[in-house]
Amino acid sequence: MKKYIIKFAIFAAVVVLVDFLAGMALDAVQHKAFEKNPLRFEVRAMYAIEKAESEVEIIGASDASHSYISKMVADSLGMTTFNYGKDGCFFIYQNCLINLMLERHTPKVILWEIGKDCLSTTVTKQTTEWQSIKDFYPYYRKSEYCKQLIDGRSKFQKLYMLSGMYRHNSQLLSLLEPFLVSESIDDKSKGYMPLPNEGYQYPEYINKAITYDSVDIWKVDLLRGTLAQCKAKGVQVVFCFSPKYKDEHVESMSQWRELKKVAEEYAVPMMDFEHHVQFKTDSTLFKDNAHLNDRGAHLYMEHFIPELKEILSQE
Amino acid sequence: MTFTSFEFLLFFPAVVLLYNIIPQKLRVWYLLVVSYVFYAFMQPVYLVLLAAVTGLTYGFTRWMGATDDDDKKKRIMIWGIILVLLPLFFFKYYNFVNESITALLAGIGLHTAIPKISWMLPVGISFYTFMAIGYLIDVNNEEVEVEKNIGSVGLFLSFFPYILSGPIERAGNMFPQLKKMPTSQPADLTAGLKLMLWGYFMKLCVADRLGIYVDAVFGNIVHHNGTTLTLATLLYPIQVYADLGGYSLIAIGAARCMGLKIIPNFNRPFFATSMSELWRRWHMSLINWLTDYIYTPLSFALRKWKVWGIVCALMLTFLISGIWHGAAVTFIVWGLVQGVYLSLEALLQKRRSSIESKHNLTKKWWYVLLCCVVVYLLFAFSQIFGRCATLSDALMVVNKIFGENGKLFIDATTLLYGLFCFAVLITKDFMDEYFEGRIKLYENRHIIIRWVSYIITIVFILLFGVFQGSSFIYFMF
């Protein structure tokens, strides 16, 4: 048995060494892959953190990336604009992104498609809320904010993060893609990702209340921290709610009331187009119940931008 | 705490270490306490239920042991089974029966107000209930001796590797081992850890990875077209195999680390060339239990009906299997579909064998492949009813698969990782099935090759595994 324990200990040491070396190699590959093609969708967070220089930054999930036409905003406001919206990347990701961006660069305006039920406990418990945090693993050791946020994912997250390979979990394809596929991506669209206007069935209107009504105090504190940081750096934050082809009755829920309270506390204007009459009566403006198609996005910008200009002129 | 949680990775080595340190005669009680602590992490309040079922099983088997009269023994056994089944009925089936009766009465104009219960289903109840019933029947049939040590009975029903999702163990296999409670040998630890490692690969890299896609599609049936639903349907059996198969390997490996050998649960099911063969390879502990305690006695009782007796026995056995899986019409339909498949096979068996031997088909690779594919497709189709929450959802899926084409919803990253890992899994199964012993990796005589194999598996788990993801599918049964 003694011999067995020694063998096991040697094996464990070999595994740790392989993990460490593989982690270092993958870190290097990640950096090279990013430099080869920094505008790829998969490395949007890295691009925002390391290369962002725009005056107006659009933050959010898929409803941001498909609804806000950076060029239209830039042309109207006369300010450089980039849409950092990323599909499947929700509240926790968005907070981390803003804070890490602010460590290097200070925009003038952040347009934040935050989501009316973002402060809900139920949403926090969903796996999707945390999965996108992987995008920030490269900054775990470089940013104290990032480290604290990631460690908060679970009791043992600190231990998971010791592993070099775990930091690159589910990222291998993304790391290797620039070397396997020669695809040049230009930044003409400045991050905006239009959805097609046809070729699918337009959605049917959904009128169904969500069933959860709860506030996650941790998320409220997270939001307060982010807004305080923005305020300290003189960044104007605007909460935006793009049109949806559904009504989930979130406005009667406590998480929405809490969001409004925090927004008021930090003087954050709210631009709510979610139930705008011109959109909720026309399904052809939507790809699905939650996302505008390109035509819908253009129409939305025609309503959104004048109101935004008015708000910014008042602030 | 589940097998894939970090807590378990700290809990398990400590348990094994202490197991080997404490005196042999205390090991049953030690593991009993550990198993109850493990269960308490999931649902502490239901420990009382587990203890109650243990007490009933122990009491009734001791009573049977003290009785010489066979008829009285049988009556005691029946009462024991009824009492042991009561909690399962109450927690799992009460609402379903209540709703069915209420709907039936409403149909004839009678409106009742029998209250529902909204208590959580005790985890593992289907598994330990079946184990308790199996033990009661085995004592009645004098296939096992009555166990006088209540600690051993308690441990048999609650042993932490298998309590949550099986395998459904047998008294005849476990009690002799529990009497010995051997010290872990290096060979046991190595064998056990290898099984656990492969189990983790199956669960984290295949089941949970493909589950991201399958769950996303089945969670939104209304918005997905037939093409997408077809793919999700084809992937679902792989997800279940990797999930329950992975869990079983971790359970078997964990027990093996303590020198205890648990029965296997899967035997490369996707290489079955008939539905009956599939059911000899898929969830073997359940199907063996059903065969020994339901099918065999039934088919014997109905033997006068010849092949139709077999058909009836098959239909009833799989109806019970469906009901065991869940209190829903979908599971009943699922069970009946399996019964129909097997009944048709039974009825056509002679004809099939004759054609196969006439043309020597079973030696032809293309015929074997064709049979495997057909069996897989039939099984995948039946799993629609096991996966969907309601019958109308299941029928919607079926209608869309056969009537609504469209653009395939692709989550490229998930599918690529998942299918790559499945390719690794199926290649291993293929080698084990047709070239057993030819290419050895985990079992290679060279330590370098063995270690490289283990390390590659660990690398796959760290790079492709889904961490902090879903629980095990069979926890819900």
Side-chain angles (χ1 to χ4, degrees):
Chain A
M1 184 57 92
K2 199 173 168 186
K3 214 170 146 188
Y4 180 83
I5 293 170
I6 292 169
K7 251 192 197 171
F8 187 84
I10 295 170
F11 176 76
V14 170
V15 168
V16 169
L17 182 65
V18 166
D19 179 71
F20 175 74
L21 293 172
M24 274 179 58
L26 289 169
D27 286 342
V29 170
Q30 183 174 50
H31 186 72
K32 273 206 149 40
F34 174 66
E35 291 301 332
K36 202 168 191 287
N37 205 338
L39 287 164
R40 282 182 305 130
F41 176 77
E42 292 80 8
V43 295
R44 185 148 287 187
M46 282 182 81
Y47 183 76
I49 294 164
E50 296 190 24
K51 307 256 184 208
E53 295 292 348
S54 44
E55 293 164 293
V56 178
E57 289 171 351
I58 300 162
I59 304 292
S62 53
D63 39 8
S65 66
H66 301 307
S67 302
Y68 296 86
I69 303 173
S70 313
K71 193 172 181 312
M72 283 178 75
V73 174
D75 290 345
S76 291
L77 298 182
M79 291 198 270
T80 52
T81 304
F82 203 99
N83 187 333
Y84 292 107
K86 192 178 176 197
D87 295 21
C89 297
F90 303 109
F91 180 79
I92 299 173
Y93 170 99
Q94 293 159 18
N95 274 274
C96 194
L97 182 67
I98 291 171
N99 280 276
L100 261 64
M101 280 167 71
L102 291 178
E103 284 182 11
R104 187 190 60 81
H105 159 69
T106 305
K108 289 187 180 154
V109 179
I110 290 178
L111 303 176
W112 193 349
E113 173 84 34
I114 194 170
K116 287 184 178 176
D117 62 350
C118 63
L119 297 178
S120 159
T121 313
T122 313
V123 173
T124 315
K125 285 178 184 166
Q126 291 168 7
T127 315
T128 44
E129 177 74 79
W130 282 99
Q131 268 173 359
S132 52
I133 291 297
K134 284 191 185 108
D135 286 9
F136 303 108
Y137 284 179
Y139 305 99
Y140 181 76
R141 295 207 168 105
K142 297 177 191 170
S143 162
E144 190 53 39
Y145 179 90
C146 185
K147 183 178 186 302
Q148 275 186 18
L149 188 74
I150 290 171
D151 285 346
R153 183 175 182 178
S154 71
K155 261 191 300 189
F156 299 104
Q157 191 65 30
K158 269 188 198 166
L159 293 169
Y160 290 136
M161 293 304 290
L162 290 175
S163 163
M165 283 191 282
Y166 173 81
R167 286 202 307 275
H168 296 282
N169 176 266
S170 306
Q171 308 280 350
L172 193 64
L173 280 175
S174 162
L175 293 183
L176 297 177
E177 196 197 335
F179 304 103
L180 300 171
V181 175
S182 57
E183 183 193 6
S184 63
I185 299 172
D186 62 48
D187 68 346
K188 278 189 203 150
S189 61
K190 300 291 183 193
Y192 165 60
M193 296 172 62
L195 290 174
N197 293 323
E198 54 209 12
Y200 51 87
Q201 207 170 348
Y202 295 121
E204 280 183 31
Y205 193 81
I206 293 173
N207 188 348
K208 191 179 176 189
I210 53 174
T211 53
Y212 47 87
D213 177 17
S214 55
V215 175
D216 187 339
I217 303 299
W218 174 79
K219 276 182 149 178
V220 175
D221 290 340
L222 193 69
L223 179 61
R224 285 206 165 98
T226 303
L227 293 178
Q229 183 71 339
C230 289
K231 196 172 181 180
K233 296 217 164 194
V235 180
Q236 174 64 63
V237 178
V238 181
F239 286 161
C240 312
F241 305 95
S242 57
K244 302 283 185 285
Y245 203 62
K246 59 180 173 176
D247 187 354
E248 291 178 325
H249 304 271
V250 187
E251 291 80 7
S252 59
M253 304 288 179
S254 56
Q255 53 264 34
W256 169 241
R257 290 193 292 275
E258 190 66 32
L259 183 63
K260 281 200 296 186
K261 193 172 134 197
V262 174
E264 211 175 291
E265 201 179 310
Y266 287 88
V268 173
M270 295 176 97
M271 298 178 65
D272 188 356
F273 286 84
E274 200 165 291
H275 306 299
H276 193 282
V277 66
Q278 194 165 2
F279 293 87
K280 69 188 258 188
T281 51
D282 187 353
S283 66
T284 65
L285 297 171
F286 293 88
K287 170 72 170 54
D288 56 49
N289 295 94
H291 303 99
L292 293 164
N293 56 31
D294 188 42
R295 196 165 74 86
H298 274 83
L299 185 63
Y300 173 44
M301 289 295 97
E302 285 169 19
H303 290 279
F304 176 83
I305 290 170
E307 198 172 308
L308 175 66
K309 274 169 113 167
E310 203 181 312
I311 286 172
L312 293 178
S313 64
Q314 285 169 7
E315 296 296 327
Chain B
M1 174 172 41
T2 62
F3 285 168
T4 49
S5 66
F6 202 86
E7 286 95 335
F8 184 76
L9 293 181
L10 299 173
F11 169 87
F12 180 68
V15 166
V16 174
L17 183 67
L18 279 170
Y19 170 84
N20 286 288
I21 289 171
I22 63 166
Q24 190 260 351
K25 60 185 174 191
L26 294 176
R27 284 176 183 164
V28 166
W29 294 100
Y30 164 70
L31 282 183
L32 178 64
V33 168
V34 164
S35 299
Y36 270 57
V37 165
F38 180 80
Y39 195 82
F41 269 98
M42 303 284 286
Q43 292 175 327
V45 66
Y46 289 134
L47 277 174
V48 176
L49 185 64
L50 178 59
V53 169
T54 300
L56 278 170
T57 309
Y58 177 74
F60 275 83
T61 49
R62 287 298 304 266
W63 193 3
M64 279 197 276
T67 308
D68 291 322
D69 181 346
D70 284 346
D71 286 335
K72 187 179 176 189
K73 215 190 241 182
K74 195 172 181 180
R75 284 197 300 275
I76 296 168
M77 176 196 73
I78 289 169
W79 276 107
I81 290 173
I82 290 170
L83 288 174
V84 158
L85 269 174
L86 273 178
L88 181 65
F89 172 78
F90 183 71
F91 283 98
K92 200 165 177 177
Y93 303 109
Y94 173 84
N95 282 337
F96 174 65
V97 172
N98 182 18
E99 280 160 16
S100 304
I101 293 174
T102 307
L104 209 66
L105 291 173
I108 56 170
L110 288 169
H111 296 278
T112 61
I114 304 170
K116 276 187 185 182
I117 54 168
S118 52
W119 296 348
M120 229 172 12
L121 181 69
V123 179
I125 189 170
S126 303
F127 295 90
Y128 66 70
T129 300
F130 264 32
M131 280 168 41
I133 293 171
Y135 176 41
L136 284 161
I137 296 173
D138 286 346
V139 166
N140 180 64
N141 295 342
E142 292 175 5
E143 285 179 23
V144 296
E145 280 181 18
V146 175
E147 177 53 57
K148 295 195 170 86
N149 183 345
I150 192 171
S152 294
V153 176
L155 181 57
F156 165 60
L157 294 178
S158 67
F159 192 33
F160 74 90
Y162 59 56
I163 186 173
L164 301 180
S165 287
I168 299 172
E169 256 300 350
R170 303 296 191 89
N173 183 48
M174 287 307 293
F175 284 136
Q177 296 189 77
L178 298 183
K179 280 188 173 25
K180 292 179 193 162
M181 296 307 276
T183 304
S184 305
Q185 299 301 314
D188 293 322
L189 288 166
T190 308
L193 289 172
K194 280 194 273 199
L195 288 167
M196 290 176 80
L197 182 63
W198 193 247
Y200 279 115
F201 170 75
M202 286 175 73
K203 167 63 178 165
L204 296 173
C205 298
V206 184
D208 284 357
R209 183 62 68 181
L210 291 177
I212 294 172
Y213 183 86
V214 172
D215 294 347
V217 172
F218 274 99
N220 205 354
I221 291 166
V222 168
H223 291 112
H224 285 290
N225 58 44
T227 311
T228 303
L229 285 164
T230 302
L231 178 60
T233 299
L234 291 173
L235 292 176
Y236 182 58
I238 300 171
Q239 183 195 356
V240 179
Y241 168 48
D243 195 285
L244 185 58
Y247 176 95
S248 300
L249 283 180
I250 297 170
I252 294 165
R256 185 65 192 273
C257 286
M258 290 176 277
L260 298 166
K261 291 182 181 158
I262 293 180
I263 55 178
N265 223 2
F266 287 84
N267 183 21
R268 304 183 288 276
F270 298 145
F271 294 97
T273 53
S274 66
M275 286 305 293
S276 50
E277 192 187 350
L278 175 83
W279 281 107
R280 288 194 293 276
R281 294 170 177 252
W282 180 279
H283 205 175
M284 288 151 57
S285 65
L286 173 65
I287 212 64
N288 287 340
W289 193 100
L290 290 169
T291 304
D292 290 347
Y293 301 116
I294 309 282
Y295 174 75
T296 303
L298 258 179
S299 58
F300 182 76
L302 300 172
R303 63 193 181 282
K304 284 182 185 161
W305 295 359
K306 295 198 171 59
V307 73
W308 294 106
I310 291 173
V311 168
C312 284
L314 282 169
M315 292 300 296
L316 273 165
T317 301
F318 277 92
L319 175 64
I320 292 169
S321 175
I323 293 169
W324 178 88
H325 277 86
V329 172
T330 46
F331 286 115
I332 292 173
V333 172
W334 174 87
L336 289 173
V337 169
Q338 306 304 325
V340 165
Y341 285 160
L342 288 160
S343 300
L344 285 171
E345 258 188 23
L347 291 168
L348 299 170
Q349 182 52 41
K350 274 191 183 150
R351 193 152 182 183
R352 177 178 171 172
S353 298
S354 145
I355 295 172
E356 282 175 349
S357 48
K358 187 178 174 187
H359 299 283
N360 205 19
L361 290 174
T362 54
K363 302 278 184 232
K364 297 189 160 91
W365 70 266
W366 56 265
Y367 178 75
V368 171
L369 178 62
L370 180 67
C371 289
C372 291
V373 168
V374 170
V375 166
Y376 186 87
L377 291 174
L378 289 172
F379 187 62
F381 176 80
S382 70
Q383 289 286 62
I384 293 171
F385 297 93
R387 180 61 181 79
C388 290
T390 65
L391 191 59
S392 57
D393 279 353
L395 293 173
M396 189 192 305
V397 171
V398 173
N399 281 336
K400 284 191 170 199
I401 285 173
F402 290 107
E404 187 190 304
N405 294 329
K407 196 176 168 192
L408 181 66
F409 163 62
I410 291 180
D411 175 357
T413 313
T414 297
L415 288 174
L416 277 168
Y417 285 134
L419 292 173
F420 168 73
C421 291
F422 173 62
V424 171
L425 170 61
I426 203 71
T427 303
K428 182 207 176 287
D429 279 359
F430 177 80
M431 296 306 293
D432 289 343
E433 180 75 14
Y434 296 111
F435 302 98
E436 195 182 354
R438 286 267 201 97
I439 297 176
K440 289 182 185 178
L441 293 173
Y442 278 21
E443 308 302 329
N444 197 285
R445 57 193 175 94
H446 297 296
I447 189 170
I448 300 288
I449 294 176
R450 292 199 306 273
W451 280 25
V452 167
S453 308
Y454 305 151
I455 289 170
I456 289 174
T457 311
I458 293 169
V459 167
F460 280 178
I461 290 170
L462 288 171
L463 287 180
F464 306 134
V466 176
F467 295 93
Q468 293 139 327
S470 61
S471 68
F472 291 89
I473 292 173
Y474 266 70
F475 277 11
M476 64 177 174
F477 303 132

